[in-house]
Amino acid sequence: MDIQLLFSGVIFGLSLASIYFLISIGLSLCFGLMRIISLDQLLYYSIGAYITYSVVTVSNNFWLGIIAGVMVGGLVAFIVERLIFRRIYERELTFSMITSFGILLGGIGIIKAIWGVIPRPIKPPFANQIDLLGTDVPAYRILVIAIAGLVYIGIWLFLNKTIIGKAIRAGIEDMNHVEGLGINASRLFTITFVLAGALSALGGGLYAPLIMVDPSMGLEILAFVFMVVIIGGLGSIKGTLISSIIVGQVVSIGSLIYA
């Protein structure tokens, strides 16, 4: 295999891993703290992509679309948590998984009703190429990798340096102990769920220029996200990052070898 092609595949794999990480981290946090499997994170991923598409179409401003997608994704996550998940936190794990999958399917239906079933393209904010080790690499993919890295650092700082973040970490270890300290568990659940939804929407918005946006994009990536959270360990932030890189490289390099 040509070394330049291999290096290009590694960069492609890292950009893919960045998207997997942004979506999987929400699943990981929700399971670690609330003991639920939140497959509806893939709905917020799709919403982030479609809102980005709509805003870019109207304003021709990609970053404004990303911001709008993150805000709407977080808002929808807030509504879903308040109306649905708050009623099922005490139920069995499989109940939350089935419920969240139902939310995902219902959300796909709503997306089809609003935007239709035709895949939609989004133009990248820039089409520059960067020369890395003699290989031309799309600058936008490098940016996606950098943003995911900054998100990981931001989450680490949030969980380790802020009072709310430390409460979330403590809740992942022992929620009963946290409640015994007088911390409002309900508010903690809401903050975590909204953060997870916003990160999933960010992943959808960033991934949109690299694929065609379509209603079933959440289902198409479902298997890979499951691989990431299972390999990395539900509730582990570092494990999610490492497993995202592993799965991203396996998909990318594997596609080159067995094309």
Side-chain angles (χ1 to χ4, degrees):
M1 182 185 298
D2 184 82
I3 190 64
Q4 292 184 334
L5 181 61
L6 178 61
F7 184 71
S8 179
V10 170
I11 297 298
F12 178 87
L14 287 175
S15 63
L16 199 58
S18 300
I19 304 302
Y20 292 161
F21 171 73
L22 291 173
I23 303 170
S24 302
I25 196 65
L27 272 167
S28 186
L29 286 173
C30 288
F31 177 83
L33 182 66
M34 296 168 274
R35 295 297 185 268
I36 60 171
I37 296 180
S38 179
L39 297 181
D40 53 312
Q41 295 300 321
L42 296 164
L43 172 61
Y44 314 135
Y45 157 77
S46 302
I47 289 173
Y50 269 100
I51 294 299
T52 300
Y53 161 77
S54 298
V55 173
V56 170
T57 302
V58 173
S59 67
N60 201 32
N61 188 324
F62 178 77
W63 300 113
L64 181 61
I66 289 289
I67 294 171
V70 170
M71 293 178 64
V72 173
L75 177 61
V76 174
F78 174 78
I79 294 172
V80 169
E81 194 274 338
R82 287 279 175 167
L83 295 182
I84 300 175
F85 277 99
R86 181 155 295 197
R87 304 170 185 270
I88 63 172
Y89 283 137
E90 302 299 326
R91 304 294 291 271
E92 295 179 359
L93 187 64
T94 52
F95 192 90
S96 68
M97 183 174 68
I98 294 171
T99 302
S100 62
F101 189 67
I103 295 170
L104 172 60
L105 293 180
I108 290 173
I110 294 173
I111 288 175
K112 289 180 179 179
I114 297 174
W115 284 283
V117 297
I118 301 174
R120 311 282 183 167
I122 297 180
K123 185 179 179 181
F126 44 82
N128 305 47
Q129 300 279 328
I130 297 177
D131 188 299
L132 291 178
L133 302 178
T135 304
D136 287 335
V137 177
Y140 180 70
R141 287 192 180 273
I142 300 296
L143 179 63
V144 169
I145 296 169
I147 291 175
L150 291 174
V151 168
Y152 175 78
I153 294 172
I155 292 174
W156 186 89
L157 291 173
F158 172 71
L159 293 176
N160 290 276
K161 302 298 182 180
T162 66
I163 295 175
I164 295 176
K166 290 178 181 179
I168 292 174
R169 286 178 58 216
I172 291 175
E173 295 296 329
D174 189 344
M175 196 63 221
N176 292 328
H177 181 65
V178 171
E179 289 179 314
L181 294 174
I183 296 175
N184 190 326
S186 177
R187 184 176 299 173
L188 209 59
F189 286 179
T190 300
I191 292 172
T192 304
F193 201 89
V194 171
L195 175 63
L199 289 175
S200 297
L202 174 62
L206 290 174
Y207 200 30
L210 303 176
I211 58 172
M212 296 286 280
V213 178
D214 74 272
S216 299
M217 59 187 293
L219 291 176
E220 292 166 1
I221 204 172
L222 174 61
F224 299 105
V225 172
F226 251 118
M227 291 179 202
V228 170
V229 296
I230 290 172
I231 294 171
L234 285 164
S236 172
I237 309 302
K238 185 183 293 185
T240 301
L241 175 65
I242 295 172
S243 62
S244 296
I245 295 173
I246 292 172
V247 174
Q249 293 302 329
V250 168
V251 172
S252 178
I253 304 301
S255 298
L256 290 177
I257 297 173
Y258 297 106

